Amino acid sequence: MKSIARTFALSLGIAATAIFLTMLGIFIWRYPTEEREFRSCQVVAAVLDRATVIEGQKLTVRSTPALEELKADSPNLWYVVSAGDLLSEYGSEHRPALPFVFPYHGPVGSSVFSTLDQNSTFCLSAVQRGSLRLAMMVGEPQVRFGRIARTFLLRRVFSIMLVALAFAATVAIGSALAARFVSRGIERVARRALAIDPSAPQGLISLSEVPRELKPLVAALNRAFGEIDAYIRMQRRFLGNAAHQLRTPLTLLRAKIDDVPDPALKAELVRDVRRLTSLVSAMLDLARLQNHAIEKRPIDLAQITLDVLADFGPSALDAGIELALEQDGKGPFVVQGVDAAIRSALANLVGNALIHARGARRIVATLDRNGISIYDDGAGLPDGVEQGLTEPFQTGNTAGDGAGLGLSIVREIMAAHGGELVISSAPGRGTTMSLRFPVTAVPARSPHRELQTG
């Protein structure tokens, strides 16, 4: 789509040019009568001057296309051309009594005079030809508009160009200022819209802050934001209520399974209930994160990582996987956040690596200034699936283990902390999942040691 400002400026420039040319044409057409007669006088005098030839003692007005056109357009045309005692005239039957006699001895130039009876006017023009003065008196000429316009434009081309340039500059500056005003209004609305939290878009854009032309658009945006916010709140409320209501039936079901006599069936039912319980707990955690603001405090990432790896030590031993903690650079590794939430996010990543990293023999947690990364040397993920893993109920485990909410909850935790979850993987080269926090300057000291279980 084209730029609004550029389209506006171009349209205004074309319209202004058309208006200028129209006004110029109207001005020439509606020229004052006296001025029009004077311009007609100049045109006719120029035609006669070019047609007049003086040879010896003879003055001749030759037939030229311009003169014949003038005669054809002017049925009552008359003129008298004289140079000293030489004289040539045309249409004497139409010529009224004149206030001048021949030969003419007045000054050089052109002017319009009234006849003696004051019923009409005539043109008097005198030019110098060598030692002779050529005088021309013309009456009742009907000069075409095009000739007057050409004469007017040729004689005033410099002035017209200056006026046109001034007009164009005024239009250009005005259109640029107007376009800038419109663009700044749109940018202001865009900044206000970007400032609205996508996870809770209840903020409205004040109509007093935008130009009148943009108010319908802003009103529509405010209405859309309100509807989106209401939908998000309803969805989160349903998610929390559904998870809460499912906990009691699952607890009762778990108690009844204990009475199942068949050990194999009992183990299978316990596993299924455990998966359902994990799903419900994950849904509750997700609902809490989405519905409540968190209070951040300085958190020692190194200590949390040590605790989480220690918790997963027995599981790693059973699976034959080595757990290790490394650091990239000097500590302290401190972030602003909620201890329990960050522990939950990190536990999700480590647990995810233990469960889904097929063929993994080592899982390494690496601390750096930006956060923490969990790397496994397993088979890696297929190309293009990294982004989908953070969506709810999506899992990279083809066996179907897990609820598919773990990485979604991690993403929500990191978003609440102003950070992000970054996943990078390649088939056969393992997977790295990183918790990236915003830079913080909180001073702290933490112990750093390598924990290995294998």
Side-chain angles (χ1 to χ4, degrees):
M1 183 176 290
K2 296 181 179 179
S3 167
I4 295 177
R6 186 180 303 173
T7 303
F8 176 76
L10 181 62
S11 302
L12 187 59
I14 294 174
T17 303
I19 292 173
F20 176 78
L21 294 176
T22 302
M23 292 177 62
L24 181 63
I26 293 174
F27 175 75
I28 296 174
W29 178 254
R30 303 291 297 176
Y31 216 46
T33 303
E34 296 81 2
E35 197 70 18
R36 190 181 181 91
E37 290 178 350
F38 180 72
R39 298 303 168 198
S40 299
C41 172
Q42 290 183 321
V43 172
V44 174
V47 171
L48 288 174
D49 185 20
R50 287 191 294 269
T52 300
V53 178
I54 302 175
E55 296 177 345
Q57 296 298 316
K58 185 177 181 181
L59 185 152
T60 305
V61 179
R62 297 176 300 133
S63 176
T64 63
L67 182 58
E68 294 304 318
E69 179 183 315
L70 179 63
K71 290 178 179 179
D73 294 338
S74 311
N76 297 323
L77 177 70
W78 61 267
Y79 62 79
V80 179
V81 181
S82 66
D85 295 331
L86 304 178
L87 185 71
S88 177
E89 63 178 307
Y90 172 82
S92 56
E93 68 275 11
H94 302 298
R95 176 166 58 87
L98 302 176
F100 297 97
V101 295
F102 297 99
Y104 173 76
H105 299 289
V108 174
S110 300
S111 188
V112 177
F113 297 92
S114 297
T115 58
L116 289 176
D117 57 10
Q118 302 293 316
N119 291 328
S120 61
T121 60
F122 69 96
C123 167
L124 171 61
S125 180
V127 296
Q128 194 70 33
R129 279 200 182 182
S131 59
L132 294 177
R133 180 166 297 177
L134 183 65
M136 296 163 284
M137 297 183 188
V138 186
E140 302 295 333
Q142 301 295 323
V143 182
R144 293 183 181 181
F145 172 75
R147 286 187 173 274
I148 298 177
R150 285 197 298 271
T151 303
F152 175 83
L153 294 174
L154 289 174
R155 289 179 178 270
R156 286 172 170 75
V157 61
F158 184 72
S159 300
I160 292 175
M161 287 180 63
L162 286 179
V163 173
L165 287 175
F167 187 77
T170 303
V171 171
I173 294 173
S175 61
L177 292 176
R180 180 175 176 81
F181 174 76
V182 174
S183 299
R184 291 183 65 179
I186 295 175
E187 291 173 0
R188 187 161 55 248
V189 172
R191 286 195 299 270
R192 290 286 292 112
L194 289 173
I196 296 175
D197 184 4
S199 62
Q202 71 274 13
L204 298 179
I205 303 174
S206 175
L207 294 179
S208 61
E209 299 178 5
V210 298
R212 181 180 303 173
E213 292 78 6
L214 296 178
K215 286 185 177 180
L217 173 62
V218 174
L221 285 175
N222 286 339
R223 179 178 177 181
F225 286 146
E227 292 178 354
I228 293 172
D229 181 58
Y231 173 77
I232 291 176
R233 289 176 180 274
M234 179 181 66
Q235 185 184 49
R236 291 173 178 174
R237 187 166 53 250
F238 170 78
L239 181 63
N241 291 339
H244 182 74
Q245 294 296 326
L246 286 172
R247 296 189 71 176
T248 301
L250 287 175
T251 302
L252 297 175
L253 182 61
R254 178 67 179 85
K256 293 179 179 179
I257 290 176
D258 291 337
D259 299 330
V260 174
D262 186 347
L265 177 60
K266 180 179 179 180
E268 184 177 352
L269 291 175
V270 168
R271 184 173 61 253
D272 291 340
V273 170
R274 186 181 296 116
R275 289 183 59 196
L276 285 174
T277 303
S278 175
L279 172 60
V280 170
S281 298
M283 291 172 63
L284 280 174
D285 291 341
L286 186 59
R288 292 191 190 100
L289 280 172
Q290 292 176 337
N291 290 325
H292 301 285
I294 64 174
E295 182 180 354
K296 300 177 183 178
R297 295 179 180 177
I299 304 297
D300 185 355
L301 276 183
Q303 187 60 52
I304 290 180
T305 306
L306 285 170
D307 294 344
V308 171
L309 292 181
D311 291 340
F312 280 95
S315 300
L317 281 172
D318 293 340
I321 297 176
E322 175 189 358
L323 296 181
L325 173 62
E326 299 177 355
Q327 66 181 48
D328 184 5
K330 295 182 179 181
F333 301 100
V334 176
V335 296
Q336 291 286 338
V338 178
D339 186 284
I342 296 177
R343 287 178 184 272
S344 175
L346 187 57
N348 262 301
L349 296 189
V350 176
N352 190 75
L354 286 171
I355 295 173
H356 300 298
R358 298 185 302 277
R361 288 293 176 263
R362 194 166 189 260
I363 297 176
V364 181
T366 304
L367 290 164
D368 58 36
R369 295 183 59 187
N370 296 321
I372 183 169
S373 300
I374 303 298
Y375 165 76
D376 69 73
D377 59 357
L381 298 171
D383 292 333
V385 304
E386 294 95 333
Q387 200 68 23
L389 290 179
T390 59
E391 298 299 323
F393 304 105
Q394 297 295 321
T395 175
N397 186 4
T398 57
D401 295 334
L405 280 175
L407 294 182
S408 176
I409 293 175
V410 174
R411 183 186 64 179
E412 293 290 339
I413 291 173
M414 295 309 298
H417 285 77
E420 61 178 339
L421 168 63
V422 180
I423 302 175
S424 61
S425 181
R429 298 184 180 180
T431 302
T432 301
M433 297 191 181
S434 304
L435 304 180
R436 295 302 176 195
F437 294 86
V439 177
T440 178
V442 178
R445 292 190 174 273
S446 59
H448 302 296
R449 65 182 185 274
E450 184 173 288
L451 171 68
Q452 292 188 337
T453 305

